[in-house]
Amino acid sequence: MDSETAQRLAGIQEATGRLLSSASQLTDAAVAAPSRLPGWTRGHVLTHLARNADGLGNLMHWARTGTRTPMYPSEAARAEAIEAGAKRSAAELTADLRDAAARFAAVAAGLPKAAWAAQVERRGQPFPAREILRARLSELEFHHVDLGTGYQPDEWPAAFIADALPRVAGSFAGRPDMTACRLVPDGWPDSFLVGPAGQDPPERAVHGPPGRLLAWLSGRSDGTGLRVTGAAAVPVPPPWG
């Protein structure tokens, strides 16, 4: 295992520990209550995170064996599994998440170095298996906030923000439904253009701490703590993902 893979696995383990600590404090009534995601309870979020671990494990099996193994049998099956699992008790939900995370960690730790370069697919989009680790960490950090148990974007690790903000900002580059502006993270040498392609550089710029920019872009903040120049207010991004 190379140092980058080991570092990513360590980050996943730490994020999993924080999430399980939050989940273990929930009561049955609390897991049945709404999360910060529209239409989902906390039980839905916890079930999704458990099934995501198993689904990513399927992709690692694909990478190791070369046998095509989709993340989920179908999108309908994925949704049905989340809906069914969401109704369980707090103890069952936490145990399922803990067990699924342990399975993911064991498979990832045993994956040969060459397998991380293998191509797998998600929703028809090919990508190298090494991106599985980045995807899992993103699920853990974003959805821990969505759980609505007090974990906030300001608590995201700096390494996660440094990796995720350029990727999320890049997904808004060229989007016609995004207000054209430049994102300027405090203390960073780089800035990011978002919004429709083929336009002159926008006068509008949004400045702020990198983590708060990431929270705003990903729909986990209303832009509190950000500053805007060239406009009266921080724009509202369209849904991300």
Side-chain angles (χ1 to χ4, degrees):
M1 182 186 301
D2 60 34
S3 59
E4 181 179 351
T5 300
Q7 185 176 17
R8 291 191 183 279
L9 286 173
I12 290 170
Q13 183 177 11
E14 292 167 4
T16 299
R18 290 190 293 270
L19 176 64
L20 286 170
S21 178
S22 294
S24 67
Q25 299 175 45
L26 295 173
T27 63
D28 290 349
V31 295
S35 72
R36 295 178 60 175
L37 291 177
W40 270 19
T41 65
R42 292 190 178 104
H44 286 90
V45 175
L46 293 172
T47 302
H48 163 64
L49 285 166
R51 300 290 73 76
N52 172 265
D54 288 337
L56 292 173
N58 288 339
L59 294 185
M60 288 190 287
H61 175 79
W62 181 349
R64 181 173 61 82
T65 64
T67 301
R68 184 180 181 86
T69 313
M71 191 170 177
Y72 304 106
S74 67
E75 289 300 312
R78 169 186 175 274
E80 289 169 4
I82 293 171
E83 193 62 38
K87 300 177 178 64
R88 294 171 295 171
S89 69
E92 289 173 312
L93 286 160
T94 302
D96 181 27
L97 177 59
R98 181 181 294 111
D99 291 347
R103 289 191 295 270
F104 175 93
V107 173
L111 202 66
K113 183 177 179 180
W116 290 113
Q119 291 288 304
V120 296
E121 290 182 13
R122 173 74 171 111
R123 292 174 176 160
Q125 298 297 315
F127 59 91
R130 69 176 67 91
E131 294 299 315
I132 290 170
L133 301 181
R134 176 177 278 133
R136 181 58 181 171
L137 184 58
S138 291
E139 291 286 326
L140 290 165
E141 292 292 356
F142 286 126
H143 287 318
H144 194 172
V145 172
D146 297 334
L147 199 60
T149 56
Y151 187 69
Q152 299 297 330
D154 285 344
E155 299 176 74
W156 284 335
F160 168 68
I161 295 168
D163 183 71
L165 179 55
R167 291 188 293 107
V168 175
S171 73
F172 283 95
R175 280 187 60 165
D177 56 348
M178 176 67 186
T179 301
C181 58
R182 182 181 296 277
L183 310 183
V184 186
D186 293 346
W188 283 27
D190 299 323
S191 61
F192 308 96
L193 290 175
V194 298
Q199 296 189 356
D200 293 333
E203 295 182 1
R204 182 186 287 106
V206 180
H207 308 250
R212 295 198 176 189
L213 284 169
L214 179 60
W216 165 70
L217 275 180
S218 66
R220 285 152 180 98
S221 164
D222 62 3
T224 299
L226 301 179
R227 311 177 304 279
V228 63
T229 57
V234 176
V236 178
W240 170 66

